Amino acid sequence: AAKAAGRRQCVAIDAAMREAVVLRQRLESELAAAIAEGQIRAWFQPIVDLGSRRCIGAEALARWHHPEFGVLEPAVFIPLMEKQGLADALFRAVLRDACVALRPLAARGALRHLSVNVSPSQFRFGTLGADVLAILEETGFPPQVLVLEITEAVLLLELSHTRDTLVQLCAQGARVALDDFGTGYSNLAYLRSLPVHCVKLDKSLTAGVEDDPRAGRLIRAFVQMAGTLELELVAEGVEAAAQAEWLAAAGCVLQQGYHFERPLPAERLEAVFGRDGT
Ligand code: C2E
Ligand code: MG
Ligand code: MG
Ligand code: MG
C-alpha cells in the first residue's frame, strides 16, 4: 500500500512539474509581447522615514498583469526576462510607468525617492544611460528623485563601463543605491569604485535585530559606516513594530517592509502619502 501511495505521489508531482514547465514555456513565449502591450506595470512599496513618521519614497516593483493568470510576481518572469535578453525593454516599461504615475507626487515634493531596479545585464551593452535620460525627459519626472538600484552582480562586468554609465546619470541628478546589501559577498570595493549614494540592508541583516545582540551590533556598525561615508541607509524587510523601533533607535530611520505596506498599485499609493503617523 505504501508503495502504491508512493507511486501515486510520484505521478502527482510529475504532473505538477509538467504543468509548471508548460506554464513557464507559455509565459516565456508571451513575455516580449506583454512588455510591448503594457501588461508589465510598476507597483510601489512605500519607503518610510521613522524620524518624521511619514512616507517619503517608494520602490517600483514590476508586476505582470496577465490577462488570464492575474497579477504575477517577479520571481516568475524576471528569470525569463534575463534569458530572453528583455531586461532593457522591461526596465523601460517599469520606469516609464513609474514616472508617469508618480510625477504629481514628486512635483509637489511629497516623493523624495523613487527607486527602480536595474538588471546587471543592462550595463553590458549600454543603452541604460540613454534610456533613463529619454524617459525622464519624456515624462518630465525630476531626475533628483530617481534612484537606480544595482546589485553587486555588476562587479562581474567591466567596471569602467558600469562606472561611466552611472557617472553620466548622476551628472543629471539621479542617485544610485546598492540593493540586497548583506547577501552574496557584499564586496565593499564597489563603494570605492562606483558612485553610490544609498545602501539597502537586505532583510537577512535586519530580520530579528531586536532580539539578537550580534545582529544588532552589525547594524550599528553599518549605521556608523554609512554616516562616515555620507551614505543613505534603507532597512529592507521590516516586518514587525519592535524591529522598526529598534532600527530607528539605532539610527536607521529609512525603512521598507510588510510592517508598513506591501507593494501597491499606483492608485493606492497616493493615500499612503497623504497619511500621518506611520
Ligand atoms: P528587491 O529589489 O530586493 O525588492 C524587494 C522585494 O522584497 C520585493 O519583492 C518586495 O515585495 C519584498 N519585500 C518587501 N518587504 C518585505 C518584507 O517585509 N518581507 C519580505 N519577506 N519581503 C519583502 P518582489 O516585488 O517579489 O521583487 C523581488 C525581486 O525581483 C526584487 O528584489 C528585484 O530583485 C526583482 N525585481 C522586481 N522588479 C524588478 C524590475 O522592475 N526590474 C528588475 N531588473 N528586477 C526587478
Ligand atoms: Mg530593489
Ligand atoms: Mg532589495
Ligand atoms: Mg532584496
Side-chain angles (χ1 to χ4, degrees):
K3 220 168 156 189
R7 215 175 302 121
R8 266 200 309 280
Q9 202 178 10
C10 279
V11 172
I13 290 170
D14 202 44
M17 276 171 62
R18 221 173 313 114
E19 216 172 289
V21 169
V22 169
L23 180 63
R24 199 177 58 225
Q25 283 167 348
R26 192 173 145 195
L27 293 177
E28 196 169 335
S29 70
E30 292 177 348
L31 182 58
I35 296 171
E37 287 165 18
Q39 289 175 22
I40 305 293
R41 306 295 309 268
W43 282 36
F44 301 95
Q45 185 175 39
I47 297 172
V48 302
D49 176 356
L50 271 276
S52 63
R53 309 249 153 199
R54 278 177 164 277
C55 182
I56 55 96
E59 175 173 6
L61 294 159
R63 294 290 182 270
W64 182 350
H65 289 223
H66 193 282
E68 193 175 323
F69 305 129
V71 178
L72 303 176
E73 302 210 340
V76 180
F77 59 87
I78 294 287
L80 306 180
M81 165 199 94
E82 296 290 1
K83 193 172 153 203
Q84 296 189 74
L86 291 170
D88 286 298
L90 184 131
F91 172 83
R92 286 191 295 265
V94 170
L95 178 63
R96 187 177 290 116
D97 195 34
C99 286
V100 168
L102 302 195
R103 196 181 82 102
L105 276 173
R108 65 170 205 256
L111 182 85
R112 292 200 329 238
H113 177 137
L114 169 64
S115 269
V116 181
N117 292 286
V118 177
S119 157
S121 64
Q122 294 183 253
F123 290 100
R124 204 167 294 141
F125 303 110
T127 59
L128 178 67
D131 282 347
V132 171
L133 298 181
I135 291 169
L136 288 172
E137 178 151 320
E138 169 195 326
T139 59
F141 192 87
Q144 297 74 15
V145 176
L146 181 65
V147 179
L148 298 165
E149 293 197 0
I150 62 171
T151 61
E152 68 167 12
V154 300
L155 290 179
L156 300 174
L157 306 167
E158 174 70 36
L159 198 61
S160 65
H161 186 69
T162 302
R163 189 195 300 119
D164 290 348
T165 304
L166 293 176
V167 165
Q168 178 200 8
L169 290 168
C170 293
Q172 303 298 315
R175 287 168 290 159
V176 176
L178 290 185
D179 202 358
D180 301 335
F181 193 82
T183 63
Y185 300 100
S186 303
N187 192 329
L188 291 172
Y190 62 168
L191 291 176
R192 174 166 174 180
S193 44
L194 297 175
V196 172
H197 307 82
C198 175
V199 170
K200 299 190 76 173
L201 298 177
D202 190 72
K203 60 178 176 288
S204 57
L205 286 178
T206 64
V209 275
E210 69 278 22
D211 300 319
D212 181 345
R214 209 177 143 83
R217 284 197 295 275
L218 201 52
I219 296 287
R220 287 188 204 281
F222 281 123
V223 170
Q224 206 163 50
M225 180 183 84
T228 305
L229 300 177
E230 299 185 319
L231 291 166
E232 207 165 47
L233 210 53
V234 177
E236 289 194 284
V238 177
E239 295 186 351
Q243 182 190 7
E245 298 308 332
W246 191 96
L247 287 164
C252 189
V253 290
L254 297 182
Q255 302 180 16
Q256 198 182 333
Y258 294 166
H259 170 59
F260 307 104
E261 294 288 346
R262 296 201 170 232
L264 310 164
E267 57 279 13
R268 286 177 48 206
L269 188 71
E270 286 269 340
V272 176
F273 273 87
R275 182 166 89 195
D276 276 321
T278 286

Coordinates of all heavy atoms in Angstrom, one line a residue, residues 121-201:
S121 N 22.6 43.0 -16.4 CA 22.9 42.8 -17.9 C 22.7 44.1 -18.6 O 23.1 44.3 -19.7 CB 22.0 41.7 -18.4 OG 20.6 42.1 -18.3
Q122 N 22.0 45.1 -18.0 CA 21.8 46.3 -18.7 C 23.0 47.2 -18.8 O 23.0 48.1 -19.6 CB 20.7 47.2 -17.9 CG 19.3 46.5 -18.0 CD 18.3 47.4 -17.3 OE1 17.8 47.1 -16.2 NE2 17.9 48.4 -17.9
F123 N 24.1 46.8 -18.1 CA 25.3 47.5 -18.2 C 26.2 46.9 -19.3 O 27.2 47.5 -19.6 CB 26.1 47.5 -16.9 CG 25.4 48.4 -15.8 CD1 24.6 47.8 -14.8 CD2 25.5 49.7 -15.8 CE1 24.0 48.6 -13.9 CE2 24.9 50.5 -14.8 CZ 24.1 49.9 -13.9
R124 N 25.8 45.8 -19.8 CA 26.7 45.1 -20.7 C 26.8 45.8 -22.0 O 27.9 46.0 -22.5 CB 26.3 43.6 -20.8 CG 27.4 42.7 -21.2 CD 27.1 41.3 -21.1 NE 26.9 40.8 -19.7 CZ 25.9 40.0 -19.3 NH1 25.1 39.4 -20.2 NH2 25.8 39.6 -18.1
F125 N 25.7 46.1 -22.6 CA 25.8 46.7 -24.0 C 25.4 48.2 -23.9 O 25.7 48.9 -24.9 CB 24.9 46.0 -25.0 CG 25.3 44.5 -25.0 CD1 24.4 43.6 -24.6 CD2 26.5 44.2 -25.6 CE1 24.8 42.2 -24.6 CE2 26.9 42.8 -25.6 CZ 26.0 41.9 -25.1
G126 N 24.8 48.6 -22.8 CA 24.7 50.0 -22.6 C 23.8 50.9 -23.3 O 24.2 51.8 -24.0
T127 N 22.5 50.7 -23.2 CA 21.5 51.7 -23.6 C 20.9 52.3 -22.3 O 20.1 53.3 -22.4 CB 20.4 51.2 -24.5 OG1 19.7 50.2 -23.7 CG2 20.9 50.6 -25.8
L128 N 21.4 51.8 -21.1 CA 20.8 52.3 -19.9 C 20.8 53.8 -19.7 O 19.7 54.4 -19.4 CB 21.5 51.6 -18.7 CG 20.9 52.1 -17.3 CD1 19.5 51.6 -17.1 CD2 21.9 51.6 -16.2
G129 N 21.9 54.4 -20.0 CA 22.1 55.9 -19.8 C 21.1 56.6 -20.7 O 20.3 57.5 -20.2
A130 N 21.1 56.3 -21.9 CA 20.2 57.0 -22.9 C 18.7 56.7 -22.6 O 17.9 57.6 -22.7 CB 20.5 56.5 -24.3
D131 N 18.4 55.5 -22.2 CA 17.0 55.1 -21.9 C 16.5 56.0 -20.7 O 15.4 56.5 -20.8 CB 16.9 53.6 -21.4 CG 17.0 52.7 -22.6 OD1 16.8 53.2 -23.8 OD2 17.2 51.5 -22.4
V132 N 17.3 56.1 -19.7 CA 16.9 56.8 -18.5 C 16.7 58.3 -18.8 O 15.6 58.9 -18.5 CB 17.9 56.7 -17.3 CG1 17.5 57.6 -16.2 CG2 17.9 55.2 -16.8
L133 N 17.6 58.9 -19.5 CA 17.5 60.3 -19.8 C 16.3 60.5 -20.7 O 15.6 61.5 -20.5 CB 18.8 60.8 -20.5 CG 20.0 60.7 -19.6 CD1 21.3 61.2 -20.3 CD2 19.8 61.4 -18.2
A134 N 16.1 59.7 -21.7 CA 14.9 59.8 -22.6 C 13.6 59.8 -21.8 O 12.7 60.6 -22.1 CB 14.9 58.8 -23.7
I135 N 13.5 58.8 -20.9 CA 12.2 58.7 -20.2 C 12.0 59.8 -19.2 O 10.9 60.3 -19.0 CB 12.1 57.3 -19.5 CG1 12.0 56.2 -20.6 CG2 11.0 57.2 -18.5 CD1 12.2 54.8 -20.1
L136 N 13.1 60.3 -18.6 CA 12.9 61.4 -17.7 C 12.4 62.6 -18.4 O 11.6 63.4 -18.0 CB 14.3 61.8 -17.0 CG 14.7 60.8 -15.9 CD1 16.2 61.1 -15.5 CD2 13.8 60.7 -14.7
E137 N 13.0 62.8 -19.6 CA 12.6 64.0 -20.4 C 11.2 63.9 -20.9 O 10.4 64.8 -20.8 CB 13.6 64.1 -21.6 CG 13.2 65.2 -22.5 CD 14.4 65.8 -23.3 OE1 15.5 65.9 -22.6 OE2 14.3 66.1 -24.4
E138 N 10.8 62.7 -21.4 CA 9.5 62.4 -22.0 C 8.4 62.6 -20.9 O 7.3 63.1 -21.2 CB 9.5 61.0 -22.5 CG 8.2 60.3 -22.9 CD 8.4 58.8 -23.1 OE1 9.5 58.4 -23.5 OE2 7.5 58.1 -22.8
T139 N 8.7 62.2 -19.7 CA 7.7 62.2 -18.6 C 7.7 63.5 -17.8 O 6.8 63.7 -17.0 CB 7.8 61.0 -17.7 OG1 9.1 61.0 -17.1 CG2 7.6 59.7 -18.4
G140 N 8.8 64.2 -17.9 CA 9.0 65.4 -17.0 C 9.2 65.0 -15.5 O 9.0 65.9 -14.6
F141 N 9.7 63.8 -15.3 CA 9.9 63.4 -13.9 C 11.3 64.0 -13.4 O 12.3 64.0 -14.1 CB 10.0 61.9 -13.8 CG 10.0 61.3 -12.4 CD1 8.8 61.1 -11.8 CD2 11.2 61.1 -11.7 CE1 8.8 60.6 -10.5 CE2 11.2 60.6 -10.4 CZ 9.9 60.4 -9.8
P142 N 11.3 64.6 -12.2 CA 12.5 65.2 -11.7 C 13.7 64.2 -11.5 O 13.5 63.3 -10.7 CB 12.1 65.9 -10.4 CG 10.8 65.3 -10.0 CD 10.2 64.7 -11.2
P143 N 14.8 64.3 -12.2 CA 15.9 63.4 -12.0 C 16.4 63.2 -10.6 O 16.8 62.1 -10.2 CB 17.0 64.0 -12.9 CG 16.4 65.0 -13.8 CD 15.1 65.4 -13.1
Q144 N 16.3 64.3 -9.8 CA 16.9 64.2 -8.4 C 16.1 63.2 -7.6 O 16.6 62.8 -6.5 CB 16.8 65.6 -7.7 CG 17.6 66.7 -8.4 CD 17.0 67.2 -9.7 OE1 15.8 66.9 -10.0 NE2 17.8 67.9 -10.5
V145 N 14.9 62.8 -8.0 CA 14.1 61.9 -7.2 C 14.4 60.5 -7.6 O 14.2 59.5 -6.8 CB 12.6 62.2 -7.4 CG1 11.7 61.2 -6.6 CG2 12.3 63.6 -6.9
L146 N 15.0 60.3 -8.7 CA 15.2 58.9 -9.2 C 16.5 58.3 -8.5 O 17.5 58.8 -8.5 CB 15.4 58.9 -10.7 CG 15.6 57.5 -11.3 CD1 14.4 56.6 -11.2 CD2 16.0 57.7 -12.8
V147 N 16.3 57.0 -8.1 CA 17.4 56.2 -7.5 C 17.4 54.9 -8.3 O 16.4 54.2 -8.3 CB 17.1 56.0 -6.0 CG1 18.3 55.1 -5.4 CG2 17.0 57.3 -5.2
L148 N 18.6 54.6 -8.8 CA 18.7 53.3 -9.6 C 19.3 52.3 -8.6 O 20.4 52.5 -8.0 CB 19.7 53.6 -10.8 CG 19.1 54.6 -11.8 CD1 20.2 55.0 -12.7 CD2 17.9 54.0 -12.5
E149 N 18.6 51.2 -8.5 CA 19.1 50.1 -7.6 C 19.9 49.1 -8.3 O 19.4 48.5 -9.3 CB 17.9 49.5 -6.9 CG 17.2 50.4 -5.9 CD 16.3 49.6 -4.9 OE1 16.2 48.4 -5.0 OE2 15.6 50.3 -4.1
I150 N 21.2 49.0 -8.0 CA 22.0 48.0 -8.6 C 22.4 46.9 -7.5 O 22.3 47.2 -6.3 CB 23.3 48.6 -9.2 CG1 24.1 49.3 -8.1 CG2 22.9 49.6 -10.3 CD1 25.5 49.7 -8.6
T151 N 22.8 45.8 -8.0 CA 23.3 44.7 -7.1 C 24.8 44.4 -7.3 O 25.3 44.9 -8.4 CB 22.5 43.4 -7.3 OG1 22.7 42.9 -8.6 CG2 21.0 43.6 -7.0
E152 N 25.4 43.7 -6.4 CA 26.8 43.5 -6.6 C 27.1 42.6 -7.8 O 28.3 42.5 -8.1 CB 27.4 42.9 -5.3 CG 26.9 41.5 -5.0 CD 27.7 40.8 -4.0 OE1 28.5 41.5 -3.3 OE2 27.6 39.6 -3.9
A153 N 26.1 42.0 -8.4 CA 26.4 41.3 -9.6 C 27.0 42.1 -10.7 O 27.7 41.6 -11.6 CB 25.1 40.6 -10.1
V154 N 26.9 43.5 -10.6 CA 27.5 44.3 -11.6 C 29.1 44.2 -11.5 O 29.8 44.6 -12.5 CB 27.1 45.8 -11.5 CG1 25.6 46.0 -11.7 CG2 27.6 46.4 -10.2
L155 N 29.6 43.7 -10.4 CA 31.0 43.6 -10.2 C 31.6 42.6 -11.2 O 32.8 42.5 -11.4 CB 31.4 43.3 -8.8 CG 31.1 44.4 -7.8 CD1 31.5 43.9 -6.4 CD2 32.0 45.6 -8.1
L156 N 30.7 41.7 -11.7 CA 31.2 40.7 -12.6 C 31.4 41.2 -14.0 O 32.0 40.6 -14.9 CB 30.2 39.5 -12.7 CG 30.0 38.8 -11.3 CD1 28.9 37.7 -11.5 CD2 31.3 38.2 -10.8
L157 N 31.0 42.5 -14.2 CA 31.1 43.1 -15.5 C 32.3 44.0 -15.6 O 32.9 44.3 -14.6 CB 29.8 43.9 -15.8 CG 28.5 43.1 -15.7 CD1 27.3 44.1 -15.7 CD2 28.4 42.1 -16.8
E158 N 32.5 44.5 -16.8 CA 33.6 45.5 -17.0 C 33.2 46.8 -16.1 O 32.3 47.5 -16.4 CB 33.6 45.9 -18.5 CG 34.5 47.0 -18.9 CD 36.0 46.6 -18.7 OE1 36.3 45.4 -19.0 OE2 36.8 47.5 -18.4
L159 N 34.1 47.0 -15.1 CA 33.7 48.0 -14.1 C 33.7 49.4 -14.7 O 32.9 50.3 -14.4 CB 34.7 47.9 -12.9 CG 34.2 48.6 -11.6 CD1 32.9 48.0 -11.1 CD2 35.2 48.5 -10.6
S160 N 34.7 49.7 -15.6 CA 34.8 51.1 -16.0 C 33.6 51.5 -16.8 O 33.1 52.6 -16.8 CB 36.1 51.2 -16.9 OG 35.9 50.5 -18.1
H161 N 33.0 50.5 -17.5 CA 31.8 50.8 -18.3 C 30.6 51.1 -17.4 O 29.9 52.1 -17.7 CB 31.6 49.6 -19.2 CG 30.5 49.8 -20.2 ND1 30.6 50.6 -21.2 CD2 29.2 49.3 -20.2 CE1 29.4 50.7 -21.9 NE2 28.6 49.8 -21.3
T162 N 30.5 50.3 -16.4 CA 29.4 50.5 -15.4 C 29.5 51.9 -14.8 O 28.6 52.6 -14.6 CB 29.4 49.4 -14.4 OG1 29.3 48.1 -15.0 CG2 28.3 49.5 -13.4
R163 N 30.8 52.2 -14.4 CA 31.1 53.4 -13.7 C 30.7 54.6 -14.7 O 30.0 55.5 -14.2 CB 32.5 53.5 -13.3 CG 32.8 54.7 -12.4 CD 34.2 55.1 -12.3 NE 35.0 54.0 -11.7 CZ 36.0 53.4 -12.3 NH1 36.4 53.7 -13.5 NH2 36.7 52.4 -11.7
D164 N 31.1 54.5 -15.9 CA 30.8 55.6 -16.9 C 29.3 55.9 -17.0 O 28.9 57.0 -17.0 CB 31.4 55.3 -18.3 CG 32.9 55.3 -18.3 OD1 33.5 55.8 -17.3 OD2 33.5 54.8 -19.3
T165 N 28.6 54.8 -17.1 CA 27.1 54.9 -17.2 C 26.5 55.6 -16.0 O 25.7 56.5 -16.1 CB 26.4 53.5 -17.4 OG1 27.0 52.9 -18.6 CG2 24.9 53.6 -17.6
L166 N 26.9 55.1 -14.8 CA 26.4 55.7 -13.6 C 26.8 57.1 -13.4 O 26.0 58.0 -12.9 CB 26.8 54.8 -12.4 CG 26.1 53.4 -12.4 CD1 26.7 52.6 -11.2 CD2 24.6 53.5 -12.3
V167 N 28.0 57.4 -13.7 CA 28.5 58.8 -13.6 C 27.7 59.7 -14.5 O 27.3 60.8 -14.1 CB 30.0 58.9 -13.9 CG1 30.5 60.3 -14.1 CG2 30.8 58.2 -12.7
Q168 N 27.4 59.3 -15.7 CA 26.6 60.1 -16.6 C 25.2 60.4 -16.0 O 24.7 61.5 -16.1 CB 26.5 59.3 -17.9 CG 25.6 60.0 -19.0 CD 25.1 59.0 -20.0 OE1 25.2 57.8 -19.9 NE2 24.4 59.5 -21.1
L169 N 24.6 59.3 -15.4 CA 23.3 59.5 -14.9 C 23.3 60.4 -13.6 O 22.4 61.2 -13.4 CB 22.6 58.2 -14.5 CG 22.3 57.4 -15.8 CD1 21.9 56.0 -15.5 CD2 21.1 58.1 -16.5
C170 N 24.3 60.2 -12.8 CA 24.5 61.1 -11.6 C 24.7 62.5 -12.0 O 24.2 63.4 -11.3 CB 25.6 60.5 -10.7 SG 25.3 58.9 -10.0
A171 N 25.4 62.7 -13.1 CA 25.6 64.1 -13.5 C 24.3 64.8 -13.8 O 24.1 66.0 -13.7 CB 26.5 64.1 -14.8
Q172 N 23.2 64.0 -14.1 CA 21.9 64.6 -14.4 C 21.1 64.7 -13.1 O 19.9 65.1 -13.1 CB 21.1 63.7 -15.4 CG 21.8 63.5 -16.7 CD 22.0 64.8 -17.5 OE1 21.1 65.6 -17.6 NE2 23.2 65.0 -18.0
G173 N 21.6 64.2 -12.0 CA 21.0 64.4 -10.7 C 20.5 63.1 -10.1 O 20.0 63.0 -9.0
A174 N 20.5 62.0 -10.9 CA 20.0 60.7 -10.4 C 21.0 60.2 -9.3 O 22.1 60.6 -9.3 CB 19.8 59.7 -11.5
R175 N 20.5 59.3 -8.5 CA 21.3 58.6 -7.5 C 21.4 57.1 -7.6 O 20.6 56.6 -8.4 CB 20.8 59.0 -6.1 CG 21.0 60.4 -5.7 CD 20.2 60.8 -4.4 NE 18.8 60.9 -4.7 CZ 17.8 60.8 -3.8 NH1 18.1 60.6 -2.6 NH2 16.6 60.9 -4.2
V176 N 22.3 56.5 -6.9 CA 22.5 55.0 -7.1 C 22.4 54.4 -5.7 O 22.9 54.9 -4.7 CB 23.9 54.8 -7.7 CG1 24.2 53.3 -7.7 CG2 24.0 55.4 -9.1
A177 N 21.7 53.3 -5.6 CA 21.6 52.5 -4.4 C 22.1 51.1 -4.6 O 21.9 50.5 -5.7 CB 20.1 52.4 -3.9
L178 N 22.8 50.6 -3.6 CA 23.2 49.2 -3.6 C 22.1 48.4 -3.0 O 21.8 48.6 -1.8 CB 24.5 49.0 -2.8 CG 25.8 49.5 -3.3 CD1 26.9 49.1 -2.4 CD2 26.1 49.0 -4.7
D179 N 21.5 47.5 -3.8 CA 20.4 46.7 -3.3 C 20.9 45.4 -2.7 O 22.0 45.0 -3.0 CB 19.5 46.3 -4.5 CG 18.1 46.0 -4.1 OD1 17.8 46.0 -2.9 OD2 17.3 45.7 -5.0
D180 N 20.1 44.8 -1.8 CA 20.4 43.5 -1.2 C 21.7 43.4 -0.5 O 22.4 42.4 -0.6 CB 20.3 42.4 -2.3 CG 19.0 42.4 -3.0 OD1 18.0 42.8 -2.4 OD2 18.9 41.9 -4.2
F181 N 22.2 44.5 0.1 CA 23.4 44.5 0.8 C 23.4 43.6 2.0 O 22.5 43.7 2.8 CB 23.8 46.0 1.3 CG 25.2 46.1 1.7 CD1 26.2 46.3 0.8 CD2 25.5 46.0 3.0 CE1 27.5 46.4 1.2 CE2 26.9 46.1 3.4 CZ 27.9 46.3 2.5
G182 N 24.3 42.7 2.0 CA 24.3 41.7 3.1 C 24.1 40.3 2.5 O 24.3 39.3 3.2
T183 N 23.7 40.2 1.3 CA 23.6 38.9 0.6 C 24.9 38.8 -0.2 O 25.6 39.8 -0.4 CB 22.4 38.8 -0.3 OG1 22.5 39.8 -1.3 CG2 21.1 39.1 0.5
G184 N 25.1 37.6 -0.7 CA 26.3 37.4 -1.6 C 27.6 37.8 -0.8 O 27.7 37.5 0.3
Y185 N 28.5 38.4 -1.5 CA 29.8 38.7 -0.9 C 29.9 40.2 -0.3 O 30.8 40.5 0.4 CB 30.9 38.5 -1.9 CG 30.9 37.1 -2.4 CD1 30.4 36.8 -3.6 CD2 31.5 36.1 -1.6 CE1 30.4 35.5 -4.0 CE2 31.5 34.8 -2.0 CZ 30.9 34.5 -3.2 OH 30.9 33.2 -3.6
S186 N 28.9 41.0 -0.7 CA 28.8 42.4 -0.2 C 30.2 43.0 -0.3 O 30.7 43.6 0.7 CB 28.3 42.4 1.2 OG 27.0 41.8 1.2
N187 N 30.8 43.0 -1.4 CA 32.1 43.5 -1.6 C 32.2 45.0 -1.4 O 31.5 45.7 -2.1 CB 32.6 43.1 -3.0 CG 34.0 43.4 -3.3 OD1 34.6 44.3 -2.7 ND2 34.6 42.6 -4.2
L188 N 32.9 45.4 -0.4 CA 33.0 46.9 -0.1 C 33.7 47.7 -1.2 O 33.6 48.9 -1.2 CB 33.6 47.1 1.3 CG 32.7 46.6 2.4 CD1 33.5 46.7 3.7 CD2 31.4 47.4 2.5
A189 N 34.5 47.0 -2.0 CA 35.3 47.7 -3.0 C 34.4 48.5 -3.9 O 34.8 49.6 -4.4 CB 36.1 46.7 -3.8
Y190 N 33.2 48.1 -4.2 CA 32.4 48.9 -5.1 C 31.9 50.2 -4.5 O 31.5 51.1 -5.2 CB 31.3 48.1 -5.8 CG 30.2 47.4 -5.1 CD1 29.1 46.9 -5.8 CD2 30.2 47.2 -3.7 CE1 28.1 46.3 -5.2 CE2 29.2 46.5 -3.1 CZ 28.1 46.1 -3.8 OH 27.1 45.4 -3.2
L191 N 31.9 50.3 -3.2 CA 31.7 51.6 -2.6 C 32.8 52.6 -2.9 O 32.6 53.8 -2.9 CB 31.6 51.5 -1.1 CG 30.3 50.7 -0.5 CD1 30.4 50.6 1.0 CD2 29.1 51.4 -1.0
R192 N 33.9 52.0 -3.3 CA 35.1 52.8 -3.6 C 35.1 53.2 -5.1 O 35.4 54.3 -5.5 CB 36.4 52.1 -3.2 CG 37.6 52.8 -3.7 CD 38.8 52.3 -3.0 NE 40.0 52.9 -3.6 CZ 41.2 52.6 -3.2 NH1 41.5 51.7 -2.3 NH2 42.2 53.3 -3.8
S193 N 34.7 52.2 -5.9 CA 34.9 52.4 -7.4 C 33.6 52.9 -8.1 O 33.7 53.4 -9.2 CB 35.4 51.1 -8.0 OG 34.6 50.0 -7.5
L194 N 32.4 52.8 -7.5 CA 31.2 53.3 -8.2 C 30.6 54.5 -7.4 O 30.7 54.5 -6.2 CB 30.2 52.1 -8.3 CG 30.6 51.0 -9.1 CD1 29.6 49.8 -9.1 CD2 30.9 51.4 -10.6
P195 N 29.9 55.4 -8.1 CA 29.2 56.4 -7.4 C 28.0 55.9 -6.7 O 27.0 55.5 -7.4 CB 28.8 57.4 -8.5 CG 28.7 56.6 -9.7 CD 29.7 55.4 -9.5
V196 N 28.0 55.7 -5.4 CA 26.9 55.1 -4.6 C 26.4 56.1 -3.6 O 27.3 56.7 -2.9 CB 27.3 53.8 -4.0 CG1 26.2 53.3 -3.0 CG2 27.6 52.8 -5.0
H197 N 25.1 56.3 -3.5 CA 24.6 57.3 -2.5 C 23.8 56.6 -1.4 O 23.5 57.2 -0.4 CB 23.6 58.2 -3.2 CG 24.2 58.9 -4.4 ND1 24.3 58.3 -5.6 CD2 24.9 60.1 -4.5 CE1 24.9 59.1 -6.5 NE2 25.3 60.2 -5.8
C198 N 23.4 55.4 -1.6 CA 22.4 54.7 -0.7 C 22.7 53.2 -0.7 O 23.1 52.6 -1.7 CB 21.0 55.0 -1.3 SG 19.7 54.2 -0.4
V199 N 22.6 52.7 0.5 CA 22.8 51.2 0.7 C 21.5 50.7 1.3 O 21.0 51.2 2.3 CB 24.0 50.9 1.6 CG1 24.1 49.5 2.0 CG2 25.3 51.3 1.0
K200 N 21.0 49.6 0.7 CA 19.8 49.0 1.2 C 20.2 47.7 1.9 O 20.7 46.7 1.3 CB 18.8 48.7 0.1 CG 18.4 50.0 -0.6 CD 17.3 49.7 -1.6 CE 16.0 49.5 -0.9 NZ 14.8 49.5 -1.8
L201 N 20.0 47.7 3.2 CA 20.3 46.5 4.0 C 19.3 45.4 3.8 O 18.1 45.6 4.1 CB 20.4 46.9 5.5 CG 21.4 47.9 5.9 CD1 21.3 48.2 7.4 CD2 22.8 47.5 5.6

